[in-house]
Amino acid sequence: MIRDYLFDINKIIEGAASGDHEKVLAYSESLARRLESGGELAAAKRMRQIVGKSSASNISLARQGGQALLPVDGESRIPVADEERPVEADVSVFLSEDVQKVVDQFLLYFRAADRLIANGVGISPSLLIYGPPGVGKTQLARYIAAQLKYPLITARSDALISSYLGSTAKNIRQLFEHAASRPCVLFLDEFDALAKMRDDDRELGELKRVVISLMQNIDAMGRDHVLLAATNHPHLLDPAVWRRFAYKIEMSTPGLAARQELIRFVLGRFATAQDVEVAACLSEGMSGAQLKDITENLVREAVVNDQQSVNLVEMCARFTGTSDVAAILRAIRKVDKKRFTQKKLSELFGLSQSYISERLNQEPASA
Ligand SMILES: Nc1ncnc2c1ncn2[C@@H]1O[C@H](COP(=O)(O)OP(=O)(O)OP(=O)(O)O)[C@@H](O)[C@H]1O
Ligand SMILES: [Mg+2]
């Protein structure tokens, strides 16, 4: 139990010992939030009172207007990052067993960082997530921040990459400095944007500077901060940057179990277990984003039409792209003949077995 709080307590002690008031304040707030979510409301309140009375807090609040300001690009004045506080209950991510294992280990090791370092086997809490669009890379970053109860600082590649020579490296440095000043998860989303600078007609020297600056900043990052990056194009990354990440996770379109979980999660009370089974079977190869889109639309329609559940044929039509019942039945059978016997299909769709058998034997209409 106490282990849940030890990390922040140690950081507060470190901050106090080195006279770093910002650090004390930032980790006290992090601890107060952690206490709150552990149900220790009185303790959290008391902590905030103590911090609120300290002179350090007044100075810091006056300087920052109550919130650490996000650094901005010198020219465009656009903040180079966004900050959010994902909450565990709001962030669900459905992962394959293999990926979940790596994520769990990453979280476990980060939480145990102090003990690992004390035993000479510290870890570098950096994770690169790669895979095609819409498979949940950004969502996984939010999930990790929510699990750690840390704010998520997401770099905005549009603002980070400055049109002015030398400014991109400066923006990167400011971003890392900002992240270092507080407990957080720093997330470089769409990370390849930096690597893609190669395609621009800017001078190669600038790209080199940016990559070097990036690597220096990653290397200098304290082990008490989590660094995440996500990309659709891992092959565009400089191999030296790639090596900087201790953990790498490849995400792909969800397997059957993850599809079922995601579909069940969105359809909720609007679908039976069997509806979910059929939908999962028909959605092979779809990304999480596509699944979410289809299922959320089905729920929307059910709600506005005052329906208690989604219509099975309608749902299948969304996943197969056809409302022809014969084609839908064939599509289901094609994926899993053993599970979806003619008898089962007849029960599911409320059609006679002879009707089903007739449809299944029908030649598909030529395109
Ligand atoms: N495995 C998943 N679990 C839960 N939700 C998912 C999953 N995959 C996708 N989604 C949902 O789909 C939407 C898009 O996901 P997300 O933005 O995380 O994808 P991405 O991999 O970052 O895509 P891109 O490469 O386009 O940035 C989000 O609403 C997210 O909740
Ligand atoms: Mg993304």
Side-chain angles (χ1 to χ4, degrees):
M1 191 58 186
I2 185 78
R3 283 205 176 128
D4 294 344
Y5 306 118
L6 256 186
F7 187 86
D8 288 319
I9 293 172
N10 285 338
K11 296 297 154 200
I12 295 168
I13 297 171
E14 267 175 31
S18 61
D20 184 345
H21 288 157
E22 301 275 339
K23 189 165 183 171
V24 174
L25 293 178
Y27 281 96
S28 303
E29 178 53 27
S30 171
L31 181 56
R33 281 176 198 272
R34 211 173 288 276
L35 284 164
E36 260 170 7
S37 58
E40 303 285 349
L41 300 185
K45 192 172 166 199
R46 176 88 188 104
M47 252 195 80
R48 289 211 172 94
Q49 281 170 347
I50 296 171
V51 170
K53 277 186 197 149
S54 73
S55 53
S57 131
N58 296 337
I59 297 164
S60 162
L61 287 177
R63 189 161 65 230
Q64 301 177 341
Q67 257 239 328
L69 293 174
L70 290 161
V72 294
D73 175 54
E75 298 306 323
S76 65
R77 311 304 299 165
I78 298 173
V80 298
D82 294 318
E83 181 175 329
E84 64 170 320
R85 288 187 174 272
V87 180
E88 220 176 310
D90 297 342
V91 188
S92 314
V93 69
F94 304 99
L95 306 168
S96 71
E97 246 176 73
D98 293 354
V99 170
Q100 186 72 55
K101 257 191 205 152
V102 181
V103 173
D104 288 346
Q105 196 200 50
F106 182 79
L107 292 171
L108 180 69
Y109 281 12
F110 180 71
R111 288 182 179 126
D114 287 344
R115 276 181 294 148
L116 292 173
I117 291 168
N119 286 286
V121 285
I123 60 146
S124 150
S126 53
L127 165 67
L128 177 69
I129 309 163
Y130 62 99
V135 292
K137 299 183 295 298
T138 302
Q139 184 76 348
L140 176 56
R142 300 181 69 235
Y143 171 81
I144 289 175
Q147 288 293 313
L148 295 174
K149 301 192 173 60
Y150 277 168
L152 181 69
I153 298 190
T154 304
R156 297 175 51 142
S157 49
D158 55 338
L160 210 51
I161 299 175
S162 168
S163 49
Y164 287 84
L165 215 61
S167 292
T168 305
K170 187 173 155 216
N171 286 345
I172 291 174
R173 182 170 50 74
Q174 284 185 336
L175 173 70
F176 276 80
E177 273 172 9
H178 173 77
S181 71
R182 54 218 317 269
C184 68
V185 172
L186 175 58
F187 179 34
L188 308 173
D189 202 1
E190 293 164 30
F191 190 44
D192 43 282
L194 285 171
K196 265 198 215 143
M197 282 176 60
R198 264 194 205 102
D199 305 339
D200 298 358
D201 50 2
R202 66 184 74 213
E203 60 157 321
L204 256 176
E206 166 78 342
L207 172 67
K208 245 190 198 157
R209 264 199 298 279
V210 167
V211 170
I212 289 172
S213 151
L214 190 61
M215 291 194 298
Q216 284 171 341
N217 280 290
I218 294 177
D219 290 344
M221 228 180 137
R223 296 192 166 220
D224 43 349
H225 283 82
V226 174
L227 175 68
L228 305 178
T231 177
N232 296 335
H233 305 286
H235 54 280
L236 286 180
L237 292 184
D238 191 294
V241 173
W242 172 267
R243 277 200 306 275
R244 291 291 187 288
F245 289 85
Y247 287 79
K248 293 168 192 88
I249 285 183
E250 179 171 13
M251 290 184 75
S252 46
T253 50
L256 183 68
R259 291 203 301 278
Q260 256 184 18
E261 281 181 71
L262 201 160
I263 293 167
R264 188 181 305 122
F265 178 79
V266 180
L267 290 182
R269 65 181 174 84
F270 290 94
T272 63
Q274 292 191 325
D275 293 341
V276 173
E277 222 181 303
V278 174
C281 148
L282 285 176
S283 54
E284 199 177 349
M286 285 187 178
S287 69
Q290 285 171 311
L291 291 178
K292 203 169 164 218
D293 235 33
I294 293 178
T295 45
E296 280 188 347
N297 273 330
L298 286 164
V299 172
R300 273 185 205 112
E301 284 161 33
V303 170
V304 296
N305 293 321
D306 280 331
Q307 289 161 348
Q308 298 307 308
S309 57
V310 297
N311 176 287
L312 182 60
V313 175
E314 185 54 35
M315 181 185 79
C316 293
R318 301 294 167 89
F319 283 105
T320 54
T322 172
S323 41
D324 174 20
V325 176
I328 289 172
L329 293 172
R330 278 196 298 271
I332 298 174
R333 289 274 290 182
K334 200 171 157 196
V335 181
D336 198 338
K337 223 179 207 165
K338 273 201 192 128
R339 188 154 28 135
F340 296 105
T341 57
Q342 294 197 11
K343 184 162 173 278
K344 183 158 180 177
L345 288 176
S346 125
E347 286 163 10
L348 275 173
F349 286 86
L351 300 166
S352 73
Q353 276 199 56
S354 59
Y355 180 90
I356 299 261
S357 139
E358 214 174 279
R359 296 293 167 265
L360 287 176
N361 292 327
Q362 230 175 39
E363 281 300 309
S366 55

